[in-house]
Amino acid sequence: MQQQEVVEAEGHLIDSHIMETIFDKVVEYNGRFEVEQFRIGRTNSEPSYLRLKVEAPGEDAMRHLLQELLGLGCSPVDSGDAALRPVERDCCAPEDFYSTTNHRTYVRLGQKWIEVENQRMDAMVVAAGGRAWCRRLRDLKQGDRIVVGLRGIRVVPESKERDRLAFAFMSNGISSERQVETAVRQTAALVRQAIEQKLKVVVVAGPVVVHTGGVQGLAALIRGGWVQAVLAGNALGVHDIEAALFGTSLGVRLADGRQEEHGHRNHMRAINAIYHAGGVKQAVESGRLTSGILYECVKAGTPFVLAGSLRDDGPLPDTITDMNAAQDAYAEQLRGAGLVLCLGSMLHSIATGNMLPSWVKIACVDINPAVATKVSDRGTGQAVGVVADVGLFLDLLSKALA
């Protein structure tokens, strides 16, 4: 039996291609639509408005369609307050829980639209005392009241940059043909913009930063106050310290690219040296560690998080080996971020993207275009890819900001 709903959406629907995506989604679910009302925004600040009658073949099809449309900013018109149900056991949500997107979200409570705090994807919305916030499944506690169903929820997708001539590369997808200098210049402008707005610039870095000679560039950015946090795996820390202590990375001399005799053990010697010192901070304070990325972090008071993994050697004493604790430490440093620079680390970039709301800009720099594509495909639509050598990019960026 055909089901009918009237939904509405507001925003920069044409610029951001949201309207055509809404229409395509209805057709994809074997539905039909009729535009009841459409108003075009006539200025940069004025949003467009769409009211749409949709039909779907049956209750299940309509429920799935509404779930998809909600993520695109379409909410049912006759929506009352959001439905809340209690959590009966820690870490166990009611079956019909609402799962969040990374877009700005509002829920209707007591006839008022309340903005959801700590926005992130794949979370539940907990409501209490006239407030609502995102909470991960593993953090749910018995008695929490969470939003269920699809009513009383409004999602606002990020619209395309209105200053798209100034920052055109932020909306041009991923291309290996983009001039590195252009991407660097525009990234530098985004860094300045974030700092001016008192937002954090966070760097997510892989060990390729060390292999490609990017240490000096990243160290200069930290020293200059352009970076407010560094998030990485154990490998970045180990190779950074190996390079600082022995001039090698994985046993290869950074000066000439040749294999150092017995150099294969240098990364273990580096880890051992930090254990002897008692940690990275103590190694800096004692004068054992005198250069590198982590050295600059300690000297500048810039927080760094090293997240462990199954394949780590050592790991360093500063590395967080509890995955849940590492996730929490990442999330803490991402609070208040305005720009995240992902440098040569696919897994850490995807993980970070999943923790961020959609209004935080991400620039993903990697020599492999597939990395930036994967970051975008995992739901982080605000990511832009710069296909370039990470070391070269950091060198140019540090000079552009010097």
Side-chain angles (χ1 to χ4, degrees):
M1 183 180 169
Q2 289 291 108
Q3 296 281 315
Q4 281 192 354
E5 282 279 358
V6 178
V7 296
E8 61 183 354
E10 195 172 54
H12 297 304
L13 305 176
I14 298 174
D15 284 13
S16 302
H17 305 290
I18 291 173
M19 191 162 73
E20 62 192 71
T21 310
I22 290 168
F23 294 163
D24 289 345
K25 196 58 72 177
V26 176
V27 174
E28 184 186 325
Y29 278 79
N30 300 314
R32 292 189 298 183
F33 64 86
E34 179 185 327
V35 176
E36 290 192 340
Q37 193 179 350
F38 181 62
R39 289 195 309 270
I40 280 191
R42 288 164 295 179
T43 65
N44 272 0
S45 57
E46 186 183 344
S48 299
Y49 172 82
L50 172 68
R51 183 183 168 107
L52 199 69
K53 183 162 79 179
V54 296
E55 277 188 10
E59 251 181 78
D60 271 1
M62 179 58 82
R63 189 173 67 254
H64 288 125
L65 175 57
L66 285 179
Q67 279 175 338
E68 293 291 331
L69 293 180
L70 200 55
L72 296 170
C74 265
S75 46
V77 168
D78 64 349
S79 182
D81 278 0
L84 302 175
R85 284 179 56 195
V87 172
E88 294 179 357
R89 207 168 86 219
D90 288 3
C91 309
C92 297
E95 285 291 330
D96 56 344
F97 66 87
Y98 170 68
S99 183
T100 61
T101 68
N102 59 350
H103 297 308
R104 205 177 296 276
T105 303
Y106 296 83
V107 292
R108 193 156 138 169
L109 303 169
Q111 301 300 304
K112 286 184 185 169
W113 286 103
I114 309 289
E115 184 171 358
V116 176
E117 301 166 32
N118 299 337
Q119 190 62 52
R120 58 169 291 156
M121 67 173 75
D122 302 329
M124 282 89 237
V125 177
V126 177
R131 289 173 56 208
W133 58 92
C134 287
R135 184 171 283 173
R136 293 169 304 194
L137 183 63
R138 72 167 185 255
D139 296 328
L140 288 182
K141 299 294 180 196
Q142 183 180 1
D144 281 344
R145 288 166 61 77
I146 69 167
V147 174
V148 295
L150 300 170
R151 306 280 167 179
I153 303 163
R154 185 178 288 163
V155 177
V156 184
E158 277 302 285
S159 57
K160 199 172 192 176
E161 285 296 315
R162 277 294 168 153
D163 51 354
R164 56 186 177 275
L165 296 179
F167 300 120
F169 92 120
M170 289 305 292
S171 55
N172 284 347
I174 297 142
S175 170
S176 56
E177 295 177 3
R178 184 178 296 128
Q179 260 203 322
V180 177
E181 289 81 3
T182 304
V184 165
R185 193 168 60 250
Q186 292 173 323
T187 303
L190 289 172
V191 170
R192 287 196 187 94
Q193 188 183 67
I195 299 293
E196 282 165 13
Q197 293 172 352
K198 295 190 167 38
L199 297 170
K200 287 156 75 172
V201 176
V202 178
V203 165
V204 179
V208 73
V209 169
V210 182
H211 308 330
T212 57
V215 169
Q216 286 186 334
L218 183 49
L221 291 174
I222 297 165
R223 206 162 45 241
W226 298 108
V227 174
Q228 281 67 57
V230 174
L231 310 180
N234 179 69
L236 174 88
V238 172
H239 298 314
D240 173 50
I241 292 163
E242 179 193 341
L245 297 183
F246 307 112
T248 62
S249 179
L250 280 178
V252 175
R253 291 200 297 254
L254 292 169
D256 58 13
R258 298 177 70 177
Q259 186 75 38
E260 175 92 349
E261 192 175 359
H262 306 301
H264 64 279
R265 70 191 186 103
N266 280 1
H267 73 289
M268 292 308 299
R269 291 172 67 201
I271 296 167
N272 189 45
I274 300 303
Y275 268 102
H276 273 283
V280 173
K281 186 179 180 189
Q282 293 90 330
V284 173
E285 289 170 346
S286 67
R288 183 72 179 95
L289 186 63
T290 58
S291 66
I293 297 163
L294 298 189
Y295 167 83
E296 296 294 349
C297 283
V298 172
K299 295 299 279 186
T302 301
F304 64 87
V305 179
L306 302 179
S309 76
L310 192 60
R311 64 185 183 275
D312 288 339
D313 289 324
L316 288 165
D318 300 77
T319 298
I320 303 171
T321 55
D322 179 326
M323 274 294 97
N324 287 351
Q327 268 191 17
D328 290 345
Y330 263 44
E332 185 58 39
Q333 294 306 327
L334 291 167
R335 285 183 200 280
L339 175 66
V340 177
L341 300 177
C342 294
L343 308 169
S345 174
M346 179 169 71
L347 295 179
H348 288 267
S349 299
I350 291 170
T352 301
N354 288 352
M355 298 180 197
L356 288 170
S358 63
W359 55 88
V360 178
K361 295 183 177 73
I362 299 175
C364 184
V365 184
D366 205 290
I367 200 68
N368 181 359
V371 172
T373 304
K374 279 194 175 185
V375 173
S376 290
D377 286 351
R378 296 297 175 97
T380 312
Q382 77 272 34
V384 63
V386 179
V387 181
D389 176 88
V390 171
L392 170 66
F393 182 89
L394 282 168
D395 180 52
L396 293 173
L397 183 60
S398 65
K399 285 172 179 169
L401 288 166

